[in-house]
Amino acid sequence: MTTGKTLIRGARPLGADPVDVLLTDGTIAAVGADLAGPDTADAEIVEAKGAVLLPGLVDLHTHLREPGREDSETVLTGTRAAARGGFTAVHAMANTFPVADTAGVVEQVWRLGRSSGYCDVQPIGAVTVGLEGKQLAELGAMHESAAGVRVFSDDGRCVDDAVIMRRALEYVKAFDGVIAQHAQEPRLTEGAQMNEGTVSAELGLGGWPAVAEESIIARDVLLAAHVDSRVHICHLSTAGSVEIVRWAKSKGWRVTAEVTPHHLLLTEELVRSYDPVYKVNPPLRTERDVRALREALADGTIDCVATDHAPHPHEDKDCEWPAAAMGMVGLETALSVVQHTMVDTGLLDWAGVAERMSHRPAEIGRLSGHGRPVAPGEPANLVLFDPTHRAVVDPGSFASRSRNTPYRGLELPGRVRYTFLRGRATVVEGEPA
Ligand SMILES: [Zn+2]
C-alpha cells in the first residue's frame, strides 16, 4: 500500500448496503455510494464484492506465551494469528515465564507487540505476585508504565482469597481498572479433568463442577458491588453463571462477562473420544449450558466474546488425557464460530457481532483507538469478512505456532479477507501481509 490510500469498493459496513470506504493515512476518510474519482485515482483498490466490513476485532483474553514459552507461541506469531482472525488488538494474559507482575515484564510484552506490526498488544498485569494469590502485585506501577495496564488477571488461576480480591478491586478504582477473574474455586476442582456430571462419572474422569465457577462469580459480584469497583468474569461456561451475572447487572453493579467461541459450540460429549484437544479450562459443559450462553450473549447479559487463545506445543497435547495441558487455540477461527453459532442461527446480526467482538471488549479494556464505528474520521482498524465462504478447518494453514484446535476437519462458514491496522493491510486475501 504505497500511497497510504486504500479504496474498498462495495463493502457492507456491519452488514448494511454496499458502499465504498476510503482509507487515508490510517483513518477512514470517507464512506459513500461511489467514491471512485480524481481523489481516489492513486488509491490501492480492494474489491469487497459484498463482504461484510466490521471494526477490527478486539480480544480481551489471549495467551501469547512470550516470554517463556516461545515453543508454543511468540508475540509475533500470535499477533499474526490474531490479524488472520480479524483482530486489530489483543489483551495478552499475564501467565508467562516470568509472570507479567511487574512494570518491566508488561513493558517488554508491550514493546514486542509494537514491533510486530500485525496487531496492537495490550498487556494484562497479574493481580498477585507470581500468580500465587498471596500478595498483590505492583498494580499501580504496571498502570503507570508505558504499557498503561488497566486490566489485571491471574488467569489460569483464580484469585480465591476474598481479602486479596477485595483489595485488588479497591486498588484499581483509582485508575478505572478492572479485575478479570478466572472463576474457579480451587478446592472444589482438585484433580478436575472435565465437567462434573454423568459423562465424567461414566468416563471415570475427575469432575469440575459448575458450582466451582458459580460460587466465585457470586462472591465476586458481591465484592465488586461492596467496594463499587469493576469486575470482569472470564470465560463464563455455565447456565448458572449466566443467571448470577444477569442478577448482578439488574442491580446496576459494574460486572461484565465474556464467553469463548468454543463454549458457544462444543459440549462435554466430545470428551468421550479422550482426545485432549477438547481438554480446556473451564471445561466444555452441556447442551443446556451452550444454549444459555448463546442466549446470554444475544441479550447482552454476556458482554463480549473472548477467545482464550491458548497455544500448546504438540507434546503437551498429544498425550494421555490426564497428563495433557488445558486449552485450545482460537484466534483464527473465532469469527467463523461466532457466525456459525450466533449469526447463522439468527441470534445476532453483524452490528451485534461488532458490538460483542469489538466495541464492548475495547470499552471494557478502556482501549482507545479500537472498537470505534465504521465512519469518517475514525481510525482505519477494520476487518473485511466474507460470510458466504465455507471451508474445512485446516490447522496446517494457521499462522499460530500451535495447532491445538478443536475444529480440525470441521466445516465452518466465513473467511477474513483483509484486516487493516491503522489503514495498513495486515492480512491480504486471508494471508498475513
Ligand atoms: Zn482462564
Side-chain angles (χ1 to χ4, degrees), residues 26-334:
T27 304
I28 301 176
V31 177
D34 186 2
L35 298 179
D39 265 10
T40 58
D42 57 346
E44 199 93 19
I45 306 287
V46 171
E47 293 292 348
K49 300 176 198 135
V52 173
L53 190 65
L54 301 173
L57 309 183
V58 176
D59 195 13
L60 269 176
H61 195 145
T62 308
H63 296 277
L64 290 176
R65 304 297 191 214
E66 189 176 2
R69 284 308 300 266
E70 291 84 352
D71 56 328
S72 52
E73 197 78 286
T74 65
V75 171
L76 183 60
T77 61
T79 51
R80 251 189 225 146
R84 199 164 171 269
F87 292 86
T88 53
V90 298
H91 289 74
M93 273 298 176
N95 61 341
T96 48
F97 303 93
V99 170
D101 58 2
T102 63
V105 180
V106 293
E107 278 192 358
Q108 180 193 355
V109 173
W110 179 76
R111 278 183 219 293
L112 286 166
R114 301 237 313 177
S115 61
S116 100
Y118 281 97
C119 175
D120 287 349
V121 174
Q122 177 56 54
I124 291 177
V127 178
T128 67
V129 174
L131 307 176
E132 282 173 356
K134 298 201 164 63
Q135 185 191 342
L136 275 193
E138 304 167 358
L139 309 185
M142 287 189 272
H143 172 68
E144 272 148 39
S145 75
V149 177
R150 275 208 172 78
V151 184
F152 295 89
S153 183
D154 277 2
D155 184 65
R157 306 235 189 121
C158 179
V159 182
D160 64 312
D161 183 311
V163 173
I164 301 258
M165 187 61 180
R166 174 187 176 159
R167 286 206 194 109
L169 286 164
E170 285 172 330
Y171 198 103
V172 299
K173 277 177 74 175
F175 45 83
D176 197 21
V178 61
I179 305 296
Q181 175 70 293
H182 172 116
Q184 176 181 9
E185 212 294 317
R187 292 274 290 143
L188 287 171
T189 49
E190 279 170 17
Q193 295 285 333
M194 67 170 296
N195 180 47
E196 180 181 295
T198 51
V199 180
S200 67
E202 272 177 57
L203 299 181
L205 291 172
W208 197 135
V211 68
E213 175 171 311
E214 293 155 7
S215 57
I216 291 291
I217 296 176
R219 183 202 74 177
D220 286 355
V221 298
L222 290 165
L223 280 175
H226 184 61
V227 301
D228 186 27
S229 187
R230 289 204 292 145
V231 67
H232 176 75
I233 311 299
C234 295
H235 42 51
L236 233 76
S237 72
T238 77
S241 297
V242 167
E243 287 311 306
I244 296 163
V245 169
R246 193 171 278 143
W247 170 73
K249 286 191 166 187
S250 77
K251 298 274 194 186
W253 298 344
R254 297 200 285 159
V255 49
T256 54
E258 70 189 32
V259 61
T260 70
H262 47 273
H263 287 111
L264 290 171
L265 180 59
L266 309 176
T267 72
E268 62 173 1
E269 289 297 322
L270 291 161
V271 180
R272 292 183 188 280
S273 68
Y274 287 102
D275 184 342
V277 80
Y278 303 116
K279 185 172 175 183
V280 65
N281 186 5
L284 301 177
R285 304 285 189 183
T286 68
E287 195 63 53
R288 181 177 153 264
D289 295 305
V290 167
R291 258 200 318 274
L293 294 169
R294 288 184 187 185
E295 282 161 17
L297 183 63
D299 72 20
T301 302
I302 295 177
D303 297 79
C304 61
V305 174
T307 68
D308 194 7
H309 177 80
H312 289 293
H314 183 68
E315 59 273 21
D316 289 355
K317 282 304 258 185
D318 200 16
C319 48
E320 280 181 24
W321 181 280
M326 308 221 194
M328 337 175 137
V329 291
L331 287 168
E332 292 171 78
T333 47

